[in-house]
Amino acid sequence: MKVLVVNSGSSSIKYQLFDMTDESVLAKGLVERIGISDSIINHYPSDREPVITHQDIPNHRVGIKLMMDALLHSEYGVIKDVSEISAVGHRVVHAGEKFSGSVLLTDEVMDALKECIELAPLHNPPNILGIEVCKELMPGIPQVGVFDTAFHQTIPECAYLYGIPYKFYKKYKVRRYGFHGTSHKYVAQRAAEILEKPLEELKIITCHLGNGSSITAVKNGISIDTSLGFGTVAGIIMGTRCGDFDPAIIPFLMDKEKLTVEEINKIIYKESGFLGLSEGISSDKRDLRERANQGDERAIRTISAFTYGIKKYIGAYAAAMGGVDAIVFTAGIGENSKETRAEACEGLEFLGVKIDPEKNKVSAKEAIISNDDSKVKIMVIPTNEELMIAKDTAEISANL
Ligand code: ADP
């Protein structure tokens, strides 16, 4: 069974074609700069050289058509006919409170996703567009939606409600949703497999640390709390997003600096986090580390605030779950930065968290990096959201 995974963003489309018999990737690719000049199609067949093509791509319809052409190409394609694709799995950012798992994208589901546009105005429209074009170009092939928010729908009311008038929850569904759910679910499942223990018996804290970051408490296989919330700015500080801060600052700054809603939004989403706190050094963790190593105070304080945030969430989620069996680090920073992992775990020995400096030297591969006598297993697990989407898609389409 071959499953195509599509992640349709505002100006790019990422795709991977899986052979589910052995979960191998037959080809993957990235269509970039859709609707902008100098559009590019990067196609990577697993057994041949990459093919990079420059072509005008005015819209997603053309982008997806070119993705199909690449997959079917006589020289660098990996399938001969569209009918070889058994199902298509789509990454969708926001499914509101409607879905707690992946589903077949029926007309009814599409309507529900459209209702969520106001909750994710930047992400849901291109996701929906990608689905509509795939439905049109691949008629009769099941299309499945896998939602970033779904895994967190198990979070209890006490953790998803905010302390603002309840009418805003009723009127506008203002609550914690959480994101990166597919990644948290994948690494939690892998952690259980690696530890050879049932997921249903484990308390795991999953730290997805990338440009966007979130930390999740996974108790007995389900998410019970997560650091991102209604939007994608809460929790620990990120590349350009602010993380948790006192909401009183928003009206204060709007008044002082005479800011519009758009301007304050830009500050908290695009000008804060690593970039803002370091006074413009970089939104990229590697640049900050390099500058910190040279003694730059701005980089040092930014990194300290970041790792302090991770440590605080680990403590909070250990309390929320009544203990912790494993801490998992994933995504760009979590998989690669031994310094971040060491600093986040430092001082948590009282919880039974003991990192092994030698084992911690690992980068971008699965490993247990705690001491043998550490009560809590500390793990590095590269995330694989595409495989998770492909697995869900295969399962749903097999049961049709
Ligand atoms: P996204 O959220 O966009 O998917 P990634 O998961 O790719 O982001 O993470 C990007 C972050 O990972 C950047 O801050 C980058 O500096 C960091 N990163 C990537 N590789 C390394 C590395 N080898 N060492 C430290 N940080 C790294």
Side-chain angles (χ1 to χ4, degrees):
M1 177 188 225
K2 292 184 181 110
V3 172
L4 176 64
V5 172
V6 176
N7 182 353
S8 171
S10 57
S11 65
S12 71
I13 297 163
K14 291 187 196 136
Y15 62 90
Q16 282 196 27
L17 183 67
F18 286 88
D19 181 347
M20 295 312 285
T21 45
D22 58 357
E23 296 180 355
S24 62
V25 176
L26 298 171
K28 61 181 170 183
L30 170 66
V31 183
E32 280 181 289
R33 300 180 61 86
I34 299 170
I36 317 172
S37 56
D38 306 322
S39 316
I40 314 167
I41 309 139
N42 309 271
H43 179 71
Y44 306 93
S46 59
D47 57 354
R48 271 155 289 167
E49 289 300 300
V51 183
I52 316 292
T53 322
H54 293 259
Q55 184 174 332
D56 236 22
I57 309 177
N59 55 46
H60 284 66
R61 198 173 189 288
V62 176
I64 289 178
K65 179 85 183 44
L66 291 169
M67 166 190 85
M68 296 307 298
D69 289 350
L71 290 169
L72 285 158
H73 198 273
S74 55
E75 278 167 44
Y76 50 79
V78 288
I79 48 171
K80 294 210 159 37
D81 195 88
V82 182
S83 62
E84 286 179 50
I85 300 173
S86 303
V88 185
H90 295 268
R91 179 190 181 208
V92 179
V93 168
H94 216 309
E97 289 184 315
K98 300 248 158 56
F99 304 103
S100 56
S102 306
V103 290
L104 187 70
L105 291 162
T106 59
D107 292 347
E108 225 173 15
V109 174
M110 293 304 289
D111 288 343
L113 295 182
K114 284 176 191 158
E115 278 172 31
C116 294
I117 285 179
E118 65 176 4
L119 296 173
L122 297 180
H123 294 104
N124 269 30
N127 296 163
I128 291 170
L129 191 58
I131 299 165
E132 286 174 345
V133 176
C134 283
K135 281 185 160 201
E136 195 187 313
L137 296 179
M138 292 174 258
I141 297 178
Q143 312 277 328
V144 171
V146 181
F147 314 117
D148 273 19
T149 48
F151 183 56
H152 301 301
Q153 275 299 299
T154 43
I155 291 176
E157 193 182 52
C158 65
Y160 75 65
L161 283 183
Y162 294 121
I164 54 174
Y166 192 69
K167 66 177 178 193
F168 295 127
Y169 170 60
K170 288 203 286 195
K171 250 172 129 172
Y172 306 118
K173 294 281 173 220
V174 173
R175 53 159 287 178
R176 178 186 307 281
Y177 288 100
F179 299 89
H180 301 133
T182 310
S183 173
H184 289 292
K185 185 176 168 187
Y186 173 79
V187 297
Q189 283 182 0
R190 274 303 295 149
E193 283 164 15
I194 294 165
L195 296 174
E196 296 180 355
K197 296 216 169 111
L199 182 60
E200 297 71 29
E201 289 171 17
L202 288 170
K203 295 167 182 158
I204 308 175
I205 297 173
T206 49
C207 306
H208 177 110
L209 312 174
N211 277 321
S213 297
S214 64
I215 301 186
T216 297
V218 185
K219 186 178 185 183
N220 307 336
I222 64 170
S223 168
I224 65 146
D225 205 349
T226 192
S227 62
L228 283 174
F230 175 72
T232 52
V233 278
I236 53 172
I237 62 168
M238 301 170 232
T240 61
R241 298 177 237 163
C242 58
D244 294 336
F245 76 116
D246 186 342
I249 297 165
I250 291 187
F252 177 84
L253 284 183
M254 288 181 85
D255 181 45
K256 286 277 176 206
E257 302 262 320
K258 303 286 169 260
L259 301 172
T260 62
V261 172
E262 251 167 45
E263 286 165 338
I264 192 78
N265 242 339
K266 189 166 169 231
I267 290 173
I268 62 173
Y269 277 93
K270 303 248 182 241
E271 296 172 0
S272 296
F274 297 162
L275 184 67
L277 207 46
S278 70
E279 293 175 278
I281 293 181
S282 178
S283 63
D284 192 293
K285 185 69 197 344
R286 280 166 293 198
D287 300 338
L288 286 181
R289 182 65 66 186
E290 205 181 305
R291 293 289 275 270
N293 290 344
Q294 294 160 3
D296 190 321
E297 283 301 327
R298 299 168 303 168
I300 292 170
R301 71 169 177 239
T302 305
I303 290 178
S304 300
F306 173 61
T307 45
Y308 175 69
I310 303 170
K311 195 194 305 272
K312 212 160 78 167
Y313 268 100
I314 291 175
Y317 288 165
M321 293 193 290
V324 50
D325 300 306
I327 299 170
V328 179
F329 289 96
T330 193
I333 303 171
E335 289 165 27
N336 293 298
S337 172
K338 61 179 189 299
E339 295 92 347
T340 300
R341 297 187 299 248
E343 286 161 14
C345 292
E346 194 185 293
L348 294 179
E349 293 78 9
F350 76 98
L351 271 181
V353 176
K354 284 196 224 165
I355 203 161
D356 182 318
E358 273 307 307
K359 293 182 188 162
N360 186 33
K361 285 183 179 155
V362 71
S363 188
K365 67 172 197 213
E366 290 183 346
I368 297 176
I369 57 167
S370 42
N371 272 338
D372 292 341
D373 66 339
S374 178
K375 202 169 110 314
V376 178
K377 299 283 180 218
I378 312 169
M379 309 173 80
V380 175
I381 302 179
T383 194
N384 195 341
E385 286 157 296
E386 292 77 13
L387 177 59
M388 193 79 237
I389 295 172
K391 280 180 167 181
D392 274 15
T393 303
E395 195 183 317
I396 287 171
S397 57
N399 290 327
L400 287 178

